[in-house]
Amino acid sequence: MQKKWWHGKVAYQVYPKSFLDTTGNGIGDLRGIISKLDYLKELGVDIIWLSPCYQSPLADQGYDISDYYQIDPRFGTMNDMDELIAQARKRNLSILMDLVVNHCSDEHEWFQKALQDPYGPYSKYFYFEKGINGQPPNNWRSYFGGSVWEPVSGTDLYYLHLFHKKQPDLNWENSSLREEIYKMMRWWMDKGLAGFRIDAIINIKKALPFSDYSYPPDRDDGLASIDNMLRDAVGVGEFLGEMRDKVFQKYDAFTVGEVFNAKEEELPDFIGDNGYFSTMFDFRAAVWGGSEKGWYASRHITPEIYKSCCFLSQKQMENVGYLSNIIENHDEPRGVSRYIPAEDLCETSKKLLAAVSFMLRGLPWIYQGQEIGMENLSFISIDEFDDVSTLDEYRVAKNHGFNDADALRAVAFYSRDNARTPFQWDDSPNAGFTTGTPWLRVNPNYTEINVKAQQNDKTSLFSFYKELITLRKNPDYAETILYGRLEPFMEKEENLMAFYRYGQNQTLLVLANFQKAPRTLTLPKAYKSVLLNNYKHVTIDSDACVTLDYYQVVILELA
Ligand code: GLC
């Protein structure tokens, strides 16, 4: 594998709407991000991905773009954006924008023109299809519920939207559309971006023609999951290779793909040397927990499952490319609430999760608030949710027969709004996020969990993340942490997540006691030093017997 500048870096996702509001409108903004670049620098991050802040009606929180060349006034101006890029560069921070090109907004000029002339050139930027006997062209279910087809009024046509009806899919088969997208991407790269996070990208290739899936319908609505279509769609690589050749290569861009449902044999094409992308996120644990039926039927991820998912991805990618490791993002519940049993959630267990995820081979990512251990919110009513997919999943649970309370409980745990609650800066009203009314309720635990409380506390989770980052960048260990082969240690031992990282001249051993009860185990050989520990001490006797306390994690250098 070719070595790249970004392998040794640490990446951070900012969700602008919830980061910091400087205007008092209850919505975070670009000036808020600018004012916190020093904070991110202090933490030790190098690469920052901004979730969308383009002009948008925010039907799906900005993943519905109505103008790719404008900043939404709620987030600021293009001048703010230019300043953000310049201020970041001054601090040696790289900025990634979110590239959302499977779809745009129905308020985008292209779509408006298409509606005005449903057989004209702009309709070919989308998928406009004739219905069949007054019914939609086929039986695919949108990710956010209901048919993927929406009638085009005054015609017998329908337009395709794999996501919300305000997110019409762009037709990638049309080379004029593709050229428009590449032009827009180059325009952004010329502003000085380092690259892009690439949204929902596997969806750009459709299985054509649009036919029904006649498998037994997977839900009571009689529709068929998009997964069927993705399985049958062949040839996404042609588009992605073209995008690489026409844009990324020229700029040596850093790109991270949101890739679900990739076919295993295609992975080297995605992130091998000269792959379509630099790297892609590992969603294996989250995917394992999902269910075709809906969130209400999701499976709980135990520490054992988490461990096996991580190890499996590591094995699969070992000779393929460099993964991006996450415990959460803006589409997932908070990682600490998901992967740590509720009764064990505390700073010690959060440190354990941080350490195991950071010590995997690959690029570590922090989603805003992860560094201080932000947790899921206890939602008390369905009216509190803003997220379109949560509202749909609530309906799905109710259709399945759940009462209101059970449906709420089912979706509350998985809601994307868990990750979108305002960032907790301090213990002042609204956690210091806004002087106005926050667009989403602040987690009441902000009085304890906030940056101010942790920043100068050497024992805090925030400081622990800093230590992990410092260790990754320590020239004595970087080669091993970045590239060393990962091999599980005592893999069968329940609730122990332990692995070697084999460097050229050294071996590290990560030992994580993913449970309450202490345990004693014998090291495979003598150790040289303790590189990191979430306790003050670790007990290792002369026979190399190590005792790990409640959720203790240690990183050892072996002799
Ligand atoms: C991606 C985004 C998600 C969005 C969807 C549609 O999965 O991460 O937030 O809803 O794409 O753009």
Side-chain angles (χ1 to χ4, degrees), residues 146-165:
S147 168
V148 295
W149 297 102
E150 197 65 20
V152 176
S153 73
T155 71
D156 56 354
L157 297 170
Y158 290 75
Y159 71 86
L160 179 78
H161 61 91
L162 297 193
F163 291 88
H164 193 264
K165 65 178 180 196

Side-chain angles (χ1 to χ4, degrees), residues 111-124 128 152 157:
F111 193 72
Q112 289 301 317
K113 285 185 174 161
L115 288 183
Q116 278 155 24
D117 185 4
Y119 290 94
Y122 282 99
S123 72
K124 307 286 180 287
F128 278 36
V152 176
L157 297 170

Side-chain angles (χ1 to χ4, degrees), residues 124 161 247 312 317 322 337 403 413 446:
K124 307 286 180 287
H161 61 91
V247 186
L312 202 61
M317 289 300 178
Y322 212 66
S337 300
N403 64 29
F413 187 80
Y446 77 90

Side-chain angles (χ1 to χ4, degrees), residues 281-299:
F281 292 114
D282 179 17
F283 295 117
R284 189 182 299 274
V287 167
W288 184 93
S291 161
E292 282 229 322
K293 296 183 186 144
W295 290 357
Y296 74 84
S298 293
R299 295 190 287 179

